[in-house]
Amino acid sequence: MNVRLPHGDTPLSAIFDKRWQNRHERWAPPESRDLFRPAEFGVDITEERNARDLVCQHHYSGSFPAARLSIGLYRKTGVAPAALVGVAVFSVPMQGAAITRYTGLPPTNGVELGRFVCTPEVAFNGETWFLRRALPILRAEKGVAAVLSYADPMERTTAGGELTKPAHVGQIYQAHNATFAGRAAARWLWIDRNGQVVSPRALSKIRLQERGHAYAERQIMAAGVDARRPGEEPADWLRRVLREPTFRRVKHPGNFAYAFGLTREARATIKLANPTPLPFPRLRHVARQQPAASSGVTGDLFGEAA
């Protein structure tokens, strides 16, 4: 389904719902609103392997975060077994200090909504219905008081210009009345010819030969570059292959950050941490052009800061 996305002040959440299928986005239009039947759906904790399978198959990143709890959206119709059609993965933040920065709470009292995926079987408004029921389960199981989530406003394209991921502004979080807490720091990213981001954590694992480096190296080679040469140091290998046309370095403007308070006290603390209410970002706030590529690859190839 191809749709033309609005660029005005109308919240996208009032018009379309995002869906994922085989790592490509789909959008559920308002015409399908009547098709969502809550009686057919249920929300419950799901095993991590099931969540991982769904996320890696459908989410554009193709990756799974360090999960603390995975909650599934199940659909039951007729006599067939209930099918997993959505996943909310609450994960360990990449930086624990981000919890305190955006919520005012200790890092141990918050998690990140690392992945939130609904397949096309979930009709319009299904996302908000799911999230509303997943958050209390998280609170009951893990005892945390806050959730941090990010919306990535940068489009991804292949080397040929095909759009693989549109800009996101966090419409599902806006619809759930999350606190918009501003923008994360800008940074540099490496993107392969298929429009996939090379994880900075993967680069670090390779350079330092940490646990998981072999898998990270296979991911790099899957983009179409040579393996390490005999005697070649990991960092030297990365410097060599990242200079090839397979990869391009682009400046990311910083994700939009949203905070959810799961208790009255947490919501009050989040308000104190964000004393000046910020207007929700809209698509018209997001540049409709590809981010500028790095003018050179000299110096620190691996530095994330802009």
Side-chain angles (χ1 to χ4, degrees):
M1 176 178 63
N2 296 317
V3 294
R4 182 178 178 83
L5 300 181
H7 300 286
D9 288 328
T10 302
L12 194 59
S13 57
I15 302 176
F16 298 103
D17 268 7
K18 180 175 63 182
R19 299 292 178 266
W20 295 98
Q21 187 174 38
N22 297 323
R23 298 174 66 174
H24 287 81
E25 292 186 4
R26 303 290 186 271
W27 296 87
E31 302 91 86
S32 66
R33 182 189 301 268
D34 294 336
L35 298 180
F36 181 74
R37 299 179 177 88
E40 296 180 359
F41 294 86
V43 178
D44 201 355
I45 297 171
T46 190
E47 293 187 18
E48 184 173 311
R49 67 172 182 268
N50 296 331
R52 182 186 298 272
D53 288 346
L54 187 141
V55 168
C56 291
Q57 178 182 354
H58 294 297
H59 194 267
Y60 74 90
S61 69
S63 64
F64 193 78
R68 289 196 59 189
L69 185 69
S70 298
I71 299 176
L73 175 65
Y74 291 87
R75 187 181 189 189
K76 172 69 173 171
T77 56
V79 298
L84 184 65
V85 295
V87 171
V89 182
F90 297 98
S91 58
V92 178
M94 289 289 291
Q95 296 181 336
I99 296 292
T100 302
R101 174 185 175 186
Y102 294 116
T103 72
L105 295 167
T108 55
N109 209 9
V111 295
E112 184 177 325
L113 180 54
R115 296 288 185 272
F116 189 67
V117 179
C118 288
T119 63
E121 289 89 341
V122 183
F124 189 84
N125 273 351
E127 279 185 323
T128 50
W129 188 92
F130 177 24
L131 185 59
R132 188 177 300 116
R133 286 153 180 80
L135 292 176
I137 296 176
L138 169 69
R139 171 65 181 167
E141 290 292 321
K142 297 299 181 180
V144 296
V147 175
L148 175 64
S149 192
Y150 296 101
D152 186 346
M154 194 182 84
E155 294 180 345
R156 307 279 197 276
T157 64
T158 66
E162 178 185 356
L163 184 67
T164 60
K165 187 197 82 64
H168 296 161
V169 294
Q171 61 268 19
I172 181 65
Y173 314 134
Q174 296 175 16
H176 200 71
N177 295 318
T179 296
F180 175 50
R183 201 163 198 166
R187 63 196 190 280
W188 289 99
L189 294 177
W190 286 100
I191 298 179
D192 68 21
R193 64 179 59 182
N194 297 316
Q196 297 298 311
V197 172
V198 180
S199 164
R201 181 68 183 120
L203 295 176
S204 178
K205 287 181 179 181
I206 295 171
R207 294 199 315 275
L208 302 177
Q209 293 293 279
E210 296 176 338
R211 182 178 178 181
H213 71 87
Y215 174 74
E217 290 177 18
R218 289 195 297 271
Q219 286 186 309
I220 296 286
M221 289 185 289
V225 297
D226 296 334
R228 275 200 287 152
R229 297 166 180 165
E232 188 174 29
E233 291 294 325
D236 292 337
W237 175 67
L238 284 176
R239 290 188 180 93
R240 175 168 62 83
V241 299
L242 289 176
R243 286 189 171 95
E244 296 184 10
T246 302
F247 298 100
R248 51 202 159 98
R249 194 179 188 222
V250 299
K251 187 175 182 180
H252 191 291
N255 290 328
F256 295 125
Y258 292 86
F260 299 88
L262 306 186
T263 67
R264 181 179 299 176
E265 294 78 9
R267 288 189 286 272
T269 302
I270 290 172
K271 187 174 182 180
L272 289 174
N274 300 275
T276 304
L278 300 175
F280 286 143
R282 308 299 189 207
L283 280 181
R284 67 183 178 86
H285 298 156
V286 178
R288 302 298 299 174
Q289 59 183 14
Q290 272 296 98
S294 173
S295 58
V297 290
T298 57
D300 182 10
L301 293 180
F302 311 121
E304 294 181 51

